Amino acid sequence: MGDAPNKISITICGDGGCGKSSMTLRLVRSQWVHEYDPTIEDSYSVTRSIDGEQYFLSITDTAGQEEYRTLWAASNLESDAFLLVYDITSESSLSALDYFMDMIDIETETRAEKNSRLLNELGDSARGIEVGRAAPVRIVAGNKCDLKNSRVISAKDGLEYARKHNSGFMETSAREMVNIEETFALLVRRVVESRQEHQRHNQELLKPTRHVGFSLKKDPTLSKKEPEANSSKQANKRQSIFHRLKGRRANADDEQAEKNTEASQMNLSDDTTPSQWKRLCC
């Protein structure tokens, strides 16, 4: 079953030094941290009002260094949303997101399989309730957009990468507080949409199949009787035709018999003239 409707878990991932912790602290404490301190894993909680609703955000800031990636806990992959951060001044930081994208793809497939299995097990009892978990949401964020003179990854390249991986896209600056609140608000909205779509999809799968009109399938019990019925109909039809023909023939015989009787009863005397005889016989 899913979490409470207004509780959303977010995992932040990306290469080391791209500004993940700075973005998180800007959101949670409105604080700018200039010194780089490698993070293994930190957790934060914050409440935000978005579109008139209060949401409780549980944020996990994960390690970016490659040597720490094996420490990714299974709980990180169970998040509702992922914020994948790269540094617009570091080309390698964008390609480093491939690892995390692959992990999220696997998690998406795993959830879909679990959801399908749960629906099959629960059957009609799953109607009207939330079953399984929605697909995870992801947004790619190109951080440090204030460093325009040092940019090596264009906004267009970042957007194309995000679209390729079915992700949202934003450019941010933790230093100048650019698109920080907006990025997390977008994550929340995408999670809400994903949950709604997940619920609709489940209910569609649970709808009973309705049959309108007659079925084109033949009843197996009737199909066995059909040859017998057809042969009987054909026999009756042949017999009816035979009786009609026989009746016609009998009528013709009766007419001929009557003619013969009339002819025999006629008195043809010896003095009948040839012309009369010829006329009678014609």
Side-chain angles (χ1 to χ4, degrees):
M1 300 299 176
D3 294 330
N6 289 3
K7 182 180 179 181
I8 295 176
S9 55
I10 301 172
T11 292
I12 303 179
C13 47
D15 202 9
C18 62
K20 300 184 301 297
S21 299
S22 297
M23 291 178 64
T24 304
L25 292 175
R26 267 298 194 185
L27 178 76
V28 176
R29 302 175 185 171
S30 298
Q31 178 183 352
W32 160 246
V33 179
H34 184 267
E35 294 80 12
Y36 173 59
D37 182 16
T39 302
I40 295 179
E41 185 170 300
D42 290 327
S43 297
Y44 304 89
S45 297
V46 65
T47 302
R48 282 293 184 274
S49 178
I50 300 171
D51 299 332
E53 291 284 342
Q54 289 288 331
Y55 293 94
F56 177 79
L57 308 184
S58 177
I59 303 173
T60 301
D61 180 17
T62 62
Q65 288 75 16
E66 190 170 353
E67 59 268 24
Y68 292 132
R69 291 178 187 174
T70 55
L71 299 177
W72 254 48
S75 58
N76 291 337
L77 284 174
E78 293 180 357
S79 295
D80 297 308
F82 293 87
L83 180 60
L84 298 101
V85 184
Y86 70 92
D87 180 354
I88 68 165
T89 67
S90 170
E91 190 170 358
S92 61
S93 66
L94 182 59
S95 59
L97 297 183
D98 291 346
Y99 170 82
F100 302 103
M101 287 292 187
D102 291 341
M103 298 287 285
I104 298 170
D105 285 338
I106 294 173
E107 174 63 18
T108 302
E109 294 175 1
T110 301
R111 291 188 194 183
E113 292 174 359
K114 289 182 178 179
N115 293 343
S116 179
R117 185 171 64 252
L118 281 173
L119 286 174
N120 289 334
E121 292 175 355
L122 295 175
D124 289 339
S125 61
R127 200 177 307 281
I129 63 175
E130 185 178 350
V131 178
R133 301 196 60 198
V137 169
R138 43 189 153 184
I139 289 181
V140 174
N143 195 34
K144 304 184 182 180
C145 67
D146 55 290
L147 302 178
K148 299 177 182 179
N149 295 331
S150 302
R151 177 191 287 270
V152 295
I153 302 175
S154 67
K156 180 181 178 181
D157 290 339
L159 178 60
E160 288 179 354
Y161 180 87
R163 286 177 174 173
K164 177 183 176 181
H165 294 278
N166 194 28
S167 307
F169 176 74
M170 296 285 280
E171 282 204 337
T172 61
S173 171
R175 180 196 295 270
E176 297 185 359
M177 194 65 177
V178 175
N179 286 338
I180 301 299
E181 291 281 352
E182 290 80 359
T183 298
F184 283 92
L186 180 59
L187 277 170
V188 170
R189 293 188 182 101
R190 291 287 180 89
V191 169
V192 172
E193 291 173 0
S194 180
R195 288 176 176 177
Q196 292 173 347
E197 178 60 29
H198 169 69
Q199 188 68 7
R200 283 195 297 269
H201 178 68
N202 283 356
Q203 296 309 310
E204 284 291 330
L205 293 178
L206 292 170
K207 281 184 178 179
T209 303
R210 297 183 61 188
H211 298 284
V212 180
F214 60 87
S215 174
L216 295 178
K217 290 186 177 180
K218 294 184 178 179
D219 189 338
T221 60
L222 295 177
S223 61
K224 294 180 181 179
K225 299 179 181 178
E226 285 180 355
E228 299 176 1
N230 291 336
S231 60
S232 177
K233 289 180 180 179
Q234 292 175 358
N236 292 335
K237 186 176 181 180
R238 287 195 297 269
Q239 189 173 5
S240 176
I241 295 173
F242 172 78
H243 284 307
R244 288 200 301 271
L245 292 174
K246 186 177 181 181
R248 291 177 183 175
R249 188 173 300 170
N251 293 335
D253 292 341
D254 291 341
E255 291 176 1
Q256 185 63 35
E258 290 178 359
K259 290 179 180 180
N260 293 337
T261 302
E262 291 176 358
S264 63
Q265 291 177 352
M266 293 182 65
N267 186 12
L268 299 177
S269 59
D270 294 336
D271 57 346
T272 303
T273 62
S275 61
Q276 291 176 330
W277 178 86
K278 186 177 181 181
R279 177 173 56 79
L280 290 172
C281 292
C282 288

